[in-house]
Amino acid sequence: MDLSPVSTAEQSGANMMNGIQIGAVSFVDEGVENVLDILQRRGEINTIFLTTFTYGRGLAGRQIPGQPFPDHGSQVSDEKTFFGGNYATPHLEFYRNTVLKETRAPEHGNIDIVADVLPAARKRGMKLFCSVEDVFREDVPGVIDCAEVDLQGQKRSTLCLFNPNVRAFWTGLVTDLCTSYDIDGILFFNERNGSLISALGASHSQSISSSRVTCFCEHHQKAAKVHGIDFERAIQGYKALDQFVQTSLKGQRPTDGYYVEFQRLLSKFPEIVAWDKLFDLGKHQVLTEVNAAIKAVSKNLQVGFHIEHVNSFNPYFRATRSYEDLAAKSDFLKVVAYNNCGGERYATFISNIGSTIFKDVPLEELMRFNNHLLNYGDEAPLDKLATSGLSPDYVFRETQRALAGVKGKCLILPGIDINLPTGKNSRKASPEDSYAATLAAFKAGSHGVILSRKYSEMWLTNLDAAGRAIQDAAKG
Ligand SMILES: [Zn+2]
């Protein structure tokens, strides 16, 4: 493994942003001062990424159900009490232009987690960013009016990014947080994919959902019209794609082969790709608006975007993104480089695309081919990927690629896998794994790290190891 230093000359330990993602429940369960003490002393953390808005369990709540609790915090599942929402105090004046007004997270009573943690973090010289994530649930007031519409014409629990209520909610939320609290900025998460990737399950942990693909709501139709995309043809195209996916899953091979049939569909219905691109357009318009809203409060506030794991696995997805474009609307990018769970996630990606469009290719060969396309190094073969995980070299390469991509226009803070939950028989990260992954990011020249996904699933022994790597990196 080549881990030769690249730009460590430009790095200095004091300037690094060494962050951790953490949700409200950890501070409630373990006490604000106690947790900050552990993060600072054991994890060498100087920046808190405090989960402030989400209905998702990836960033909020205790350890997810079915996974063992780590060696700290409550050992009782919050499966029944977890709800999600805004863990700060929503100030109504910021939500005038949206129907999404009642989002306060109910599970910790009147606690305002930002108001509680911010002064304590400041006293210790720590930075604090609010993390907000686009994950909703259908029983939140107003969601029904913003819901995406799927290929069957049914409403979903995901929100349409072309719905004006949704646009106003995201800009209202970040403006509220940046105005109401003296924070350092926002880290914005949106892991949702466009219709083509969703139809094929061509992501890191997605099921194949060609029949329920979104979004075909009135706001999408309007946006399509503006961009000259024929709505009826898009529907026809996605119905044909669904047919192809369903017959492929049943193993009914098209006469000319799976890939040729897929390519034929794309040629016949260019609207399939156009509709997928339209989703990405909406997603990136939201990023632009979020950035503008935050900077309108203060130019000193920092804006970061979470770059999801599929970016590591899927060449098509990669081609739809440009790090340089993302750098133009952000101060830093949190590039997911989760190596341990990356093994099983990459295996899922290969297995999904290998069950439809690449079904004629043996999976092991398909993965080797994909490795070449993405410049993967010496990773485990497919049958051992889940039990081996991806290597620290993967973290190194993804960090370097991001640094090269942004051309110095924003900071790169790789997301480091600290005990992300994996399947029963998949690799569990040892402290040595956490040390190696963290150090690899610095060796590649990162401007810091963000330990992920959340403190409530991390083992303190692994946090110690990440802290040691941060210390060793600072020594050079
Ligand atoms: Zn829509």
Side-chain angles (χ1 to χ4, degrees):
M1 178 172 64
D2 176 20
L3 288 181
S4 54
V6 168
S7 59
T8 38
E10 298 162 22
Q11 297 175 339
S12 101
N15 295 332
M16 293 286 121
M17 254 165 82
N18 299 319
I20 191 168
Q21 294 178 182
I22 180 165
V25 74
S26 292
F27 290 108
V28 174
D29 283 349
E30 301 178 48
V32 173
E33 293 296 343
N34 176 50
V35 169
L36 291 178
D37 226 37
I38 291 171
L39 301 185
Q40 224 175 359
R41 210 161 30 83
R42 300 181 67 164
E44 294 292 324
I45 296 300
N46 60 21
T47 309
I48 307 288
F49 290 91
L50 178 59
T51 300
T52 309
F53 180 91
T54 187
Y55 288 95
R57 294 213 56 132
L59 297 180
R62 292 180 187 143
Q63 176 63 288
I64 56 172
Q67 292 282 340
F69 287 101
D71 50 352
H72 62 92
S74 169
Q75 308 285 303
V76 178
S77 175
D78 58 355
E79 192 175 3
K80 297 217 165 69
T81 50
F82 177 83
F83 193 89
N86 189 340
Y87 291 92
T89 307
H91 301 88
L92 276 181
E93 63 266 34
F94 296 99
Y95 306 93
R96 276 195 200 108
N97 299 322
T98 176
V99 293
L100 299 161
K101 295 179 194 295
E102 295 170 47
T103 60
R104 175 143 200 177
E107 59 260 47
H108 304 309
N110 286 328
I111 286 175
D112 176 330
I113 203 62
V114 181
D116 279 6
V117 176
L118 185 60
R122 281 280 178 265
K123 234 183 282 166
R124 293 164 181 266
M126 300 171 99
K127 290 184 177 171
L128 189 144
F129 287 79
C130 290
S131 293
V132 304
E133 184 187 31
D134 183 358
V135 176
F136 273 84
R137 50 190 289 163
E138 59 190 8
D139 52 356
V140 174
V143 158
I144 190 80
D145 302 310
C146 307
E148 287 195 307
V149 171
D150 69 18
L151 189 57
Q152 315 298 326
Q154 305 286 315
K155 287 198 172 190
R156 312 293 296 173
S157 61
T158 44
L159 304 195
C160 179
L161 299 175
F162 285 106
N163 189 310
N165 283 296
V166 176
R167 293 290 179 97
F169 175 75
W170 290 122
T171 52
L173 174 66
V174 297
T175 306
D176 183 5
L177 293 172
C178 291
T179 308
S180 307
Y181 308 93
D182 183 26
I183 55 174
D184 292 279
I186 299 283
L187 174 55
F188 192 83
F189 292 69
N190 183 341
E191 292 208 321
R192 291 165 52 202
N193 285 311
S195 39
L196 177 54
I197 288 181
S198 298
L200 300 172
S203 181
H204 63 266
S205 61
Q206 229 173 358
S207 53
I208 298 170
S209 60
S210 54
S211 307
R212 307 308 299 268
V213 78
T214 57
C215 172
F216 300 96
C217 81
E218 52 175 318
H219 302 286
H220 248 86
Q221 294 182 42
K222 227 163 101 184
K225 209 167 193 175
V226 171
H227 294 277
I229 309 165
D230 188 320
F231 169 71
E232 290 303 333
R233 290 272 308 163
I235 291 274
Q236 281 173 31
Y238 274 96
K239 287 203 163 149
L241 180 63
D242 181 34
Q243 188 73 36
F244 163 77
V245 167
Q246 300 308 331
T247 51
S248 300
L249 291 174
K250 285 185 200 134
Q252 294 165 11
R253 186 178 188 275
T255 315
D256 290 333
Y258 293 100
Y259 182 74
V260 169
E261 187 65 20
F262 172 67
Q263 201 58 55
R264 187 171 282 148
L265 269 178
L266 294 190
S267 301
K268 189 172 171 194
F269 295 104
E271 293 82 4
I272 291 175
V273 171
W275 210 259
D276 190 74
K277 280 177 71 176
L278 190 60
F279 174 87
D280 279 346
L281 177 76
K283 184 163 160 170
H284 286 95
Q285 283 175 345
V286 170
L287 298 185
T288 303
E289 290 173 13
V290 160
N291 180 56
I294 295 167
K295 297 294 181 183
V297 177
S298 167
K299 292 262 177 282
N300 296 328
L301 287 158
Q302 306 285 292
V303 183
F305 299 133
H306 164 93
I307 307 299
E308 55 269 44
H309 218 168
V310 59
N311 174 49
S312 283
F313 308 140
N314 183 335
Y316 172 82
F317 180 93
R318 252 189 208 187
T320 62
R321 297 290 184 280
S322 145
Y323 273 129
E324 202 174 359
D325 290 350
L326 287 162
K329 47 191 155 206
S330 60
D331 298 292
F332 64 93
L333 297 177
K334 178 209 159 189
V335 175
V336 168
Y338 305 161
N339 64 321
N340 191 67
C341 71
E344 65 176 25
R345 287 180 173 195
Y346 188 28
T348 300
F349 169 74
I350 293 295
S351 143
N352 279 3
I353 60 168
S355 62
T356 54
I357 58 179
F358 296 117
K359 198 164 182 149
D360 283 323
V361 186
L363 290 181
E364 181 60 43
E365 286 179 48
L366 178 59
M367 192 189 82
R368 282 212 300 274
F369 176 68
N370 203 60
N371 284 351
H372 286 300
L373 297 182
L374 301 180
N375 194 28
Y376 271 46
D378 188 19
E379 300 295 345
L382 186 62
D383 60 344
K384 301 214 166 51
L385 251 187
T387 49
S388 304
L390 293 171
S391 66
D393 185 51
Y394 156 78
V395 180
F396 181 83
R397 278 180 287 103
E398 283 299 272
T399 304
Q400 279 209 324
R401 186 170 73 81
L403 283 163
V406 298
K407 300 184 178 145
K409 290 175 184 161
C410 78
L411 304 182
I412 295 298
L413 307 175
I416 304 296
D417 177 342
I418 308 289
N419 306 115
L420 260 87
T422 53
K424 209 164 81 196
N425 300 317
S426 298
R427 188 182 181 97
K428 306 294 171 196
S430 68
E432 292 71 31
D433 290 335
S434 296
Y435 176 87
T438 309
L439 193 64
F442 286 105
K443 292 279 187 193
S446 79
H447 303 99
V449 287
I450 300 182
L451 308 185
S452 305
R453 285 181 310 186
K454 55 180 181 179
Y455 173 72
S456 62
E457 66 192 14
M458 297 177 191
W459 290 71
L460 292 178
T461 42
N462 291 63
L463 183 67
D464 286 339
R468 273 200 308 281
I470 291 170
Q471 262 184 354
D472 290 351
K475 281 184 218 146

